[in-house]
Amino acid sequence: EVQLVESGGGLVQVGGSLRLSCAASGFTFDDYAIGWFRQAPGKEREGVACISSSDGSRYYLDSVKGRFTISSDNAKNTVYLQMNSLIPEDTAVYYCAVDPRGPIAVLSAVPLDGNWGQGTQVTVSS
């Protein structure tokens, strides 16, 4: 059973930083992408960032490039999302997801059933 547990969300002022963590377990995909998508109230989900297990390539939503960095610690089975220079438009619930279909699937924010976490709220105040 796939388990993804997010943490690290919170309330931060514009320009501030947060680091999200996702503790992952229970999957045995040979190749996969793992990363983050978000959903703000009244808006569609959007993929934010992911890492490909096959070659470590990283992918980002255009609006977060240069501000967010995704990384992983394989020894801890944990994926991180360092978010800097936060803006109000980053306010959303952030979800961790893992997908054997690869980076496009994670960035499309249409996860397979059971392959995403409960989410962590990020609120950026102006």
Side-chain angles (χ1 to χ4, degrees), residues 2-6 37 39 45 95-98 109-119:
V2 174
Q3 290 195 335
L4 301 166
V5 181
E6 303 97 334
F37 66 91
Q39 187 163 27
R45 293 176 190 163
Y95 299 90
C96 181
V98 63
V110 185
L112 297 172
D113 285 347
N115 287 10
W116 49 321
Q118 83 287 351

Side-chain angles (χ1 to χ4, degrees), residues 17-69:
S17 298
L18 284 172
R19 188 175 81 155
L20 306 184
S21 299
C22 171
S25 63
F27 59 92
T28 58
F29 309 126
D30 290 334
D31 290 311
Y32 58 89
I34 186 165
W36 301 85
F37 66 91
R38 67 188 181 188
Q39 187 163 27
K43 294 189 177 181
E44 298 281 329
R45 293 176 190 163
E46 59 180 358
V48 176
C50 70
I51 294 178
S52 170
S53 71
S54 61
D55 61 3
S57 295
R58 305 178 188 190
Y59 303 85
Y60 295 95
L61 178 69
D62 282 347
S63 63
V64 308
K65 286 180 181 176
R67 300 189 298 121
F68 291 11
T69 302

Side-chain angles (χ1 to χ4, degrees), residues 91-111:
T91 295
V93 178
Y94 283 70
Y95 299 90
C96 181
V98 63
D99 206 310
R101 299 171 295 177
I104 293 177
V106 175
L107 293 177
S108 297
V110 185

